[in-house]
């Protein structure tokens, strides 16, 4: 209800939508830069595993579908509050109500499905290290890791 009240002012809604789209585009640029680095830098390419590629593929679909939703199906914060919030709340209550998402467009369903796949795949990647509390990776000096494969 609070999100819908916030979105009742068109200026705030426009700013929220434009800001989200800009962040999505910046995320896409950063993700493409990471993928290009994985392909072109020999030292990085050697230590790249298949799980890294699966993760990058899922992230790429997630970001592109999110940008697509923002461009094609606007006012995402409003329909998210109306449709996705009750769906997520039904999951929290352990009584899934898929009727909330069945009427959504395909691109939104793709975005949602990819999000669930990312959440499920996350523990099997190296990114799980960000869950360490306190996170020593934020304050440590950079280190060089060398793997020698035969």
């Amino acid at each position: 209800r609070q999100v819908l009240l916030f979105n009742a002012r068109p200026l705030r809604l426009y700013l929220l939508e434009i800001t989200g789209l800009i962040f999505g585009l910046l995320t896409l640029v950063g993700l493409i830069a990471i993928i290009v680095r994985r392909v072109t830098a020999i030292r990085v390419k050697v230590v790249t595993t298949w799980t890294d590629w699966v993760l990058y593929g899922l992230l790429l679909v997630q970001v592109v579908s999110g940008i697509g939703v923002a461009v094609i199906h606007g006012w995402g914060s409003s329909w998210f509050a109306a449709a996705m919030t009750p769906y997520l709340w039904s999951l929290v209550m352990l009584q899934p109500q898929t009727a909330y998402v069945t009427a959504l467009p395909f691109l939104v369903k793709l975005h949602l499905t990819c999000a669930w796949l990312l959440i499920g795949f996350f523990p099997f990647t190296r990114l799980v290290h960000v869950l360490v509390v306190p996170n020593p990776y934020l304050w440590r000096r950079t280190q060089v890791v060398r793997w020698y494969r035969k």
Side-chain angles (χ1 to χ4, degrees), residues 39-70:
V39 172
T40 58
I42 299 300
R43 287 184 178 175
V44 179
K45 190 175 186 178
V46 170
V47 297
T48 303
T49 63
W50 68 271
T51 57
D52 295 329
W53 291 118
V54 171
L55 182 70
Y56 289 141
L58 285 171
L59 284 170
L60 192 61
V61 172
Q62 181 71 10
V63 172
V64 169
S65 65
I67 292 169
V69 168

Side-chain angles (χ1 to χ4, degrees), residues 49-149:
T49 63
W50 68 271
T51 57
D52 295 329
W53 291 118
V54 171
L55 182 70
Y56 289 141
L58 285 171
L59 284 170
L60 192 61
V61 172
Q62 181 71 10
V63 172
V64 169
S65 65
I67 292 169
V69 168
V71 171
I72 297 170
H73 308 288
W75 321 128
S77 61
S78 294
W79 61 256
F80 185 92
M84 291 302 294
T85 302
Y87 166 69
L88 293 174
W89 188 247
S90 74
L91 294 178
V92 170
M93 300 304 290
L94 301 177
Q95 297 174 346
Q97 299 288 324
T98 57
Y100 290 114
V101 294
T102 54
L104 294 175
F106 171 76
L107 198 56
V108 177
K109 290 178 190 176
L110 176 66
H111 190 65
L112 177 65
T113 302
C114 197
W116 287 122
L117 288 172
L118 276 167
I119 291 169
F121 191 64
F122 180 81
F124 304 102
T125 66
R126 288 184 244 177
L127 288 179
V128 77
H129 292 96
V130 301
L131 298 178
V132 175
V133 176
N135 192 337
Y137 297 100
L138 297 175
W139 297 281
R140 73 173 188 183
R141 292 180 7 160
T142 57
Q143 67 182 32
V144 176
V145 178
R146 293 189 177 96
W147 291 6
Y148 297 102
R149 292 189 181 171

Side-chain angles (χ1 to χ4, degrees), residues 22-36 63 67:
I22 289 170
F23 285 148
L25 291 170
L26 289 173
T27 303
L28 181 62
V29 169
L31 186 58
I32 289 172
I34 289 172
I35 292 171
V36 167
V63 172
I67 292 169

